[in-house]
Amino acid sequence: GVMVTVVERLAWLLPRQLDQPASLILQSKIEKMGISVITGAKTKALVGDGHVQAVELEDGRSLPASLVVISAGVSANVDLARKAGLEVNRGILVDDHMRTSLPGIFAAGDEAEHHGRLYGLWVPAKSQGTIAGLSAAGKDAVYPGDPPSARLKVLGIDLFSIGQFMPEQPTDLLVSEEKDGNYASFIFREGIIIGSILLGDASLASYVKTAVESQRNFSDLLHDNLSVDKIKAALK
């Protein structure tokens, strides 16, 4: 029963989970619900006297508002680790065994920085905890890293993304399709699936996740007439 405006500072919605074509589809679905979307806009100030009355953008626009919700991500609290003498950056630095810079101390989860990455997600945190426990018990356990993945339901719209979702090398192959208001994309590198987006229909999410994590090779499908439907059929 209220008017809602979403302001995103980056070029499109969910830039860490979606490529631009998928994001535009999501934006269209959201706007059809009566929600306004502004992308590429930075907030300059919240305006009001004792209570917010407007959001002022850097481009000079002023958006009337009686309530503002700010989504600003997460930041690891490393104060205790720093005081204890551990090496920290954005998080507590760990190696492949989840060992910190001090003997006998391990770190896992949202505060652990592994090869420059802070995951901030449940699945990697669980995997890291397992490796940390095994390592602490003297086992030779190695954390290989997890392809970043997200499973969300945004305003009733199913969304799944994993791994790399935009080509980065000249040989990367992107296969994508928009159909019936849904979007699916798959990226291959030398025949191996390295990422995917499923928007609207995410029923194959578990199959895609398994394929990406196991570095499944689809070279036998990539020779000619490749389509999203063929990839989906091969995943099952």
Side-chain angles (χ1 to χ4, degrees):
V2 298
M3 295 177 62
V4 177
T5 300
V6 175
V7 179
E8 168 60 57
R9 66 182 298 272
L10 297 177
W12 62 81
L13 297 177
L14 297 178
R16 294 182 179 178
Q17 291 83 26
L18 299 177
D19 59 15
Q20 190 169 20
S23 180
L24 290 175
I25 294 171
L26 175 63
Q27 181 173 333
S28 176
K29 290 177 178 288
I30 291 174
E31 288 174 336
K32 288 178 181 177
M33 299 177 187
I35 296 174
S36 299
V37 177
I38 301 175
T39 57
K42 295 182 179 179
T43 301
K44 180 180 180 180
L46 303 182
V47 181
D49 182 10
H51 193 287
V52 66
Q53 295 175 317
V55 176
E56 184 178 336
L57 304 182
E58 287 191 355
D59 62 11
R61 283 180 288 179
S62 181
L63 309 175
S66 57
L67 173 67
V68 176
V69 178
I70 301 174
S71 175
V74 296
S75 179
N77 186 342
V78 295
D79 290 345
L80 179 62
R82 184 181 287 110
K83 291 176 182 178
L86 299 177
E87 289 187 15
V88 300
N89 185 29
R90 291 185 301 132
I92 301 171
L93 300 181
V94 295
D95 63 11
D96 290 343
H97 305 280
M98 310 313 295
R99 296 177 298 207
T100 68
S101 58
L102 294 182
I105 300 179
F106 300 81
D110 292 357
E111 87 287 357
E113 182 175 340
H114 178 254
H115 293 314
R117 290 185 61 186
L118 273 170
Y119 287 89
L121 297 168
W122 163 243
V123 173
K126 184 179 179 182
S127 300
Q128 290 177 0
T130 299
I131 300 303
L134 290 169
S135 298
K139 305 293 184 181
D140 185 20
V142 173
Y143 177 65
D146 282 285
S149 65
R151 182 71 187 266
L152 306 171
K153 184 179 285 289
V154 182
L155 296 171
I157 304 168
D158 278 331
L159 160 65
F160 173 78
S161 70
I162 186 170
Q164 183 178 316
F165 52 83
M166 289 189 287
E168 292 182 353
Q169 298 184 11
T171 57
D172 289 353
L173 174 63
L174 169 65
V175 182
S176 63
E177 178 185 66
E178 179 185 355
K179 185 177 181 181
D180 299 327
N182 299 324
Y183 178 83
S185 72
F186 304 92
I187 291 189
F188 302 90
R189 180 172 296 165
E190 297 181 356
I192 295 175
I193 186 170
I194 60 173
S196 174
I197 295 172
L198 301 174
L199 174 64
D201 179 6
S203 58
L204 295 179
S206 60
Y207 295 101
V208 173
K209 186 174 186 295
T210 298
V212 173
E213 291 179 343
S214 64
Q215 297 185 321
R216 182 173 167 185
N217 196 312
F218 286 78
S219 295
D220 56 332
L221 287 179
L222 305 184
H223 51 282
D224 60 0
N225 298 322
L226 185 63
S227 68
V228 166
D229 286 340
K230 287 184 179 180
I231 298 171
K232 287 182 175 180
L235 283 166
K236 298 180 181 179

